[in-house]
Amino acid sequence: YAERLGAKLAAQFKGTKVECVVGPALGGIIVAHEVARALGVRGAAESAPLERPGVVGQYVNGLYDTPTGGILDREMINLPAWTAIQLEMDGCALNLTGTEREDYTRVLDMQRGVLRQSARWLTPDHKEVTLHSERFVSMARPHLAAIRWQLEAGADCTITIRSAIDSAVTNRFADGHFAQVSCAAGDRGCSVEVTTIEPGYRAIVAAAHALADATSEVVWRGETTPQRAATHFSFTLHAGQPVTMTKFVAVYDSRFSTGDLAALARSDLEAAQVAAYDALLTEHVARWADLWAASDVTIVGDDKAQVALRFCLFHLLANLPHSDEVSVSARGLQGQDYWGSIFWDCEVYVLPFFAYTQPDYARRSLLYRYHTLDGARRKADTGQKIRSYFADEQIHISADVVYALWRYVQASGDWAFMAECGAEIACEVARFLVSRVTYNAALGRYELHTVLGPDEYHERVDNNAYTNALARTCLDVALAALDRLRWEQAAALEHLRAKIGLTAAEIDGWRAVAARLYVPAPDPDTGLIPQFDGYFALEDAPPEVVRTRLAHPDLHPGGPLGPYQTTQSIKQADVVLLTYLLRDQYSLAEKLANWHYYEPRTAHDSSLSPMAYALVAADAGLTDWAYRYFLHTAMIDLLGTGPHWNLGVHTAALGGAWQTVVQGFCQVDLREEGVSLRVWPRLPATWSQVSFGFFWHGCHVYLTADHQHVDLRAESGPVQVFYPGGQAELQAGQSIVLPYTD
């Protein structure tokens, strides 16, 4: 009954996790639902100008618009700005660019998920005003956000606050995304409702205000323009008597909510005002505490690495998908670069973090791929062009999804997902890949021609090692899933075969291709893997030399017109990434050989590249190199590295930093049979200890490692643990200390 009720409630509360548990002591059903944050807001100051591109942004995961119908115009929508607040003292505007500003600080409290700012102004007539600002987007109430201002003056003055919601926001690629804008304002609140151009989503951003501790009369008034709604209030701020202004904000949209959006927003705002700011902050912080308890990594002895890694984890957790109809885009909810697209970056680099520490959200990301499968089938049937001009060659991205879902099932034990959704994804991708193979009769093998591997500077190559190896892995996964269904869930297998028209002859064809699909093997003498056919015959020129051959810096470096196509210099990790993803298929000597060969020939013109070199360096015992590339990856957004630094975080790099610590330095691998320590952890010299938790098949395990021992503790169990030279079974509440041995 609990399962049936849970299914019913899950359908009712779309995009939420619903758990129903029978409580025998209570004699009833306990129902709880949990939602992740759908809204992301950039950390710009409240007075930041809206017209400056890439500064002020607020995004809902899953809201896209195509204003002109052109595929390159489709991007994630920048919603009306609700952080906009302007401050005046005695008629003088106080902002961060004025000459009166004396001091300004901005702090992101990653533990609590709160942005704090402080500013102090000294006007020409020597009046001093101090502002302390605090804001958060609620992790407990997914449609709600709040800002609190605390103002204090050194002398009596007149304060005017103009708090607005403004639809005149900038976008990355399109000029605008709103076909209709409706603004409303009253004494204490304001709202802006918009309708997008295509497909016509409706969204409302509404605000309510409160002012506390004011000892003089407050004059309130509302004001609207065609694009902006604002609440203005003026009062006398007496010397030494602080005043607090609170702005509650609710955001709803028609894709993920049904009914009267304005009424829903109004209800949330009323509830927020009843609860008050401190209570909302408390429940928000408690939700963050739960997330950190499952996902934190503690590094002892290296503050730089610790801060950088927690910065990565904070943004990954802030991007948890709120629905199984969305996933994590390449720039998360912090910017519109890459149009808000969801790339293979997510499956290869971000999903492992979710699978190990937030498995429910890993499942949601994979369900997003399942829900978009029909769209992929339509594109395949009609030959519809996709956004990237060379993506018809980059077929490895489909195999990457299958690789990721298989790794998720191994870590989580969620065979139900494989039976209900994963097997269908794997079979359709297998079908697609088999349609792309060419049989080489002279060599008696199947090959993949005219492809593009992860190195996007070499187009239209044959037998890219990464692509072929991942394609064979995909076929193996599809066949293994079908075999298991045949033995354990025959009815599910028959349903799948009927749904997608899968015949025994087609399955036999997949087996034949999988058995004879050519995957370039390491040379028996050198251990080197050719990135693709003819790679080693290309000119061996280093990236810094090849880059000088560009006719213009804005031209694409690769492809038939780019200088990289005819050289061995590559954009990003390709073969090296392969030796990590399929790490058990390559020896230590082969990993070392390929790492040392490809490393000086890699331009690292992608944020996906340094982490791959870090991971393989950690696997191969090159710990110092792994640490260098780990820091490069973990700090890419903190340092603003690269030309796109202000257009959103690099979610793949964030996930890659976590992988380098957990799967690289500490060598943790979650498999169907249990938790595996592939080799003993190899920590950077400056780290005295590292600790983190993860889930294996629903059991929570906590690991602490130093340079001599690894401590494993199971908070639930039993858990099989495999380590160099032995294995053990951990029961709930049990721990073991394993000294490193040769």
Side-chain angles (χ1 to χ4, degrees):
Y1 177 77
E3 290 176 356
R4 292 197 303 273
L5 178 60
K8 182 178 180 181
L9 290 170
Q12 179 180 349
F13 293 102
K14 189 177 183 181
T16 70
K17 172 191 173 185
V18 181
E19 182 178 4
C20 296
V21 181
V22 177
L26 301 176
I29 302 293
I30 303 169
V31 180
H33 69 278
E34 169 195 305
V35 287
R37 192 173 78 187
L39 178 67
V41 180
R42 289 177 62 88
E46 284 87 319
S47 62
L50 300 184
E51 67 273 10
R52 186 173 297 169
V55 175
V56 178
Q58 37 280 305
Y59 311 101
V60 167
N61 193 356
L63 285 191
Y64 295 86
D65 179 63
T66 312
T68 67
I71 197 164
L72 290 180
D73 281 339
R74 184 177 184 269
E75 69 179 342
M76 188 164 58
I77 300 163
N78 192 359
L79 289 170
W82 54 264
T83 57
I85 308 177
Q86 303 296 326
L87 175 65
E88 288 184 5
M89 183 183 71
D90 293 340
C92 176
L94 303 181
N95 52 50
L96 300 184
T97 58
T99 57
E100 297 84 7
R101 181 173 62 83
E102 293 285 305
D103 189 25
Y104 174 70
T105 61
R106 179 168 47 173
V107 175
L108 174 62
D109 183 340
M110 297 185 292
Q111 184 178 20
R112 295 159 59 86
V114 176
L115 180 70
R116 299 190 185 91
Q117 301 169 87
S118 295
R120 182 170 62 90
W121 293 271
L122 187 64
T123 62
D125 58 356
H126 303 291
K127 288 185 178 180
E128 183 180 283
V129 171
T130 301
L131 166 65
H132 296 290
S133 167
E134 181 178 272
R135 76 176 189 239
F136 65 93
V137 177
S138 177
M139 274 291 197
R141 306 189 186 200
H143 299 279
L144 195 70
I147 303 175
R148 180 166 65 185
W149 273 22
Q150 293 179 315
L151 289 162
E152 188 170 358
D156 289 3
C157 57
T158 300
I159 291 292
T160 300
I161 298 175
R162 293 179 171 86
S163 175
I165 299 171
D166 200 323
S167 66
V169 292
T170 60
N171 293 281
R172 175 72 173 107
F173 295 101
D175 291 334
H177 289 289
F178 304 139
Q180 296 178 344
V181 179
S182 177
C183 303
D187 285 351
R188 305 292 175 97
C190 54
S191 66
V192 173
E193 190 163 1
V194 297
T195 303
T196 69
I197 298 170
E198 173 62 38
Y201 292 127
R202 292 177 297 109
I204 187 168
V205 183
H209 301 83
L211 197 66
D213 304 319
T215 57
S216 66
E217 181 183 358
V218 180
V219 178
W220 302 77
R221 68 181 179 89
E223 178 185 83
T224 61
T225 69
Q227 292 184 299
R228 187 173 186 268
T231 297
H232 298 184
F233 37 102
S234 301
F235 56 93
T236 299
L237 181 61
H238 295 291
Q241 296 183 354
V243 170
T244 300
M245 186 276 293
T246 305
K247 181 177 185 177
F248 299 107
V249 177
V251 180
Y252 275 88
D253 65 84
S254 61
R255 180 177 181 191
F256 297 107
S257 299
T258 58
D260 187 333
L261 301 183
L264 292 170
R266 191 161 52 247
S267 175
D268 274 14
L269 292 175
E270 291 170 356
Q273 291 176 91
V274 170
Y277 181 91
D278 286 337
L280 297 177
L281 178 60
T282 297
E283 64 184 27
H284 164 75
V285 170
R287 176 67 181 128
W288 266 110
D290 291 340
L291 294 174
W292 281 118
S295 300
D296 191 21
V297 176
T298 302
I299 299 171
V300 179
D302 188 341
D303 289 344
K304 180 190 292 187
Q306 178 70 90
V307 171
L309 184 59
R310 281 189 171 140
F311 180 86
C312 296
L313 303 187
F314 170 81
H315 282 90
L316 288 171
L317 293 171
N319 281 282
L320 290 171
H322 65 96
S323 161
D324 58 21
E325 295 182 359
V326 300
S327 186
V328 180
S329 72
R331 292 309 184 96
L333 293 175
Q334 284 73 36
Q336 292 171 296
D337 201 16
Y338 294 118
W339 305 271
S341 298
I342 298 163
F343 294 141
W344 62 283
D345 310 17
C346 176
E347 277 74 27
V348 171
Y349 293 111
V350 175
L351 198 79
F353 168 72
F354 289 169
Y356 277 48
T357 74
Q358 303 287 341
D360 288 347
Y361 295 102
R363 195 180 206 270
R364 284 185 181 178
S365 288
L366 291 169
L367 282 169
Y368 161 81
R369 293 297 189 189
Y370 180 70
H371 292 318
T372 55
L373 193 55
D374 280 341
R377 281 188 277 242
R378 286 195 300 273
K379 285 183 177 180
D381 290 341
T382 62
Q384 179 181 343
K385 295 290 186 183
I386 50 179
R387 175 173 301 138
S388 179
Y389 68 92
F390 50 60
D392 58 335
E393 301 173 15
Q394 204 171 20
I395 62 173
H396 73 81
I397 61 179
S398 296
D400 293 332
V401 173
V402 176
Y403 170 88
L405 70 86
W406 184 246
R407 296 294 291 160
Y408 160 74
V409 170
Q410 288 183 307
S412 66
D414 187 2
W415 176 250
F417 168 80
M418 180 59 80
E420 296 164 10
C421 308
E424 184 176 345
I425 296 173
C427 287
E428 289 288 34
V429 174
R431 174 178 278 168
F432 163 66
L433 292 171
V434 167
S435 77
R436 285 285 270 107
V437 300
T438 297
Y439 186 66
N440 186 328
L443 297 176
R445 69 191 190 192
Y446 291 95
E447 300 179 346
L448 284 167
H449 295 171
T450 317
V451 299
L452 178 73
D455 163 31
E456 296 169 335
Y457 286 171
H458 290 85
E459 300 179 28
R460 305 187 69 79
V461 302
D462 294 340
N463 293 319
N464 170 256
Y466 180 98
T467 301
N468 289 28
L470 268 294
R472 187 172 66 186
T473 299
C474 171
L475 291 170
D476 290 341
V477 168
L479 292 168
L482 292 174
D483 286 343
R484 183 164 171 178
L485 284 175
R486 182 177 296 108
W487 287 104
E488 297 182 5
Q489 293 175 264
L493 174 60
E494 290 309 309
H495 173 77
L496 172 61
R497 291 179 60 171
K499 180 179 180 181
I500 66 174
L502 183 61
T503 66
E506 185 175 13
I507 297 172
D508 289 341
W510 296 355
R511 293 190 195 278
V513 172
R516 303 172 77 177
L517 179 60
Y518 170 58
V519 175
D523 182 272
D525 296 323
T526 65
L528 294 178
I529 303 168
Q531 185 172 300
F532 49 81
D533 287 355
Y535 171 82
F536 290 129
L538 299 176
E539 179 191 358
D540 192 5
E544 59 271 18
V545 172
V546 179
R547 196 181 305 279
T548 65
R549 301 175 185 174
L550 270 173
H552 189 278
D554 291 339
L555 291 175
H556 179 54
L561 301 180
Y564 281 80
Q565 182 82 10
T566 57
T567 75
Q568 292 186 33
S569 287
I570 63 176
K571 176 184 179 181
Q572 65 196 76
D574 196 303
V575 167
V576 169
L577 177 59
L578 168 62
T579 64
Y580 169 69
L581 294 185
L582 302 181
R583 60 207 298 197
D584 290 338
Q585 298 181 21
Y586 298 97
S587 69
L588 172 61
E590 291 164 349
K591 292 177 184 178
L592 283 168
N594 285 279
W595 194 96
H596 283 298
Y597 189 86
Y598 284 101
E599 194 274 338
R601 293 166 175 81
T602 304
H604 296 300
D605 286 349
S606 167
S607 62
L608 308 186
S609 190
M611 69 192 86
Y613 280 89
L615 286 160
V616 177
D619 258 11
L622 304 173
T623 308
D624 289 345
W625 270 108
Y627 179 69
R628 284 187 227 176
Y629 275 121
F630 159 75
L631 279 185
H632 182 104
T633 296
M635 301 190 76
I636 190 170
D637 290 313
L638 278 174
L639 297 181
T641 304
H644 300 165
W645 64 271
N646 195 36
L647 302 174
V649 296
H650 297 75
T651 55
L654 307 180
W658 175 89
Q659 283 191 66
T660 303
V661 175
V662 174
Q663 298 179 309
F665 295 135
C666 293
Q667 291 288 297
V668 174
D669 197 6
L670 302 188
R671 305 181 180 185
E672 179 70 24
E673 62 270 19
V675 176
S676 172
L677 290 178
R678 302 181 69 258
V679 299
W680 296 117
R682 304 182 182 114
L683 305 187
T686 56
W687 297 12
S688 59
Q689 189 181 85
V690 62
S691 302
F692 53 85
F694 54 86
F695 290 91
W696 174 81
H697 288 216
C699 300
H700 195 212
V701 180
Y702 200 77
L703 180 147
T704 300
D706 57 26
H707 292 277
Q708 290 85 34
H709 308 84
V710 62
D711 185 321
L712 287 158
R713 183 177 76 252
E715 296 184 359
S716 53
V719 178
Q720 292 293 328
V721 177
F722 302 87
Y723 55 88
Q727 69 181 80
E729 183 175 88
L730 279 175
Q731 301 296 329
Q734 183 185 359
S735 65
I736 55 172
V737 178
L738 302 172
Y740 301 162
T741 64
D742 293 338

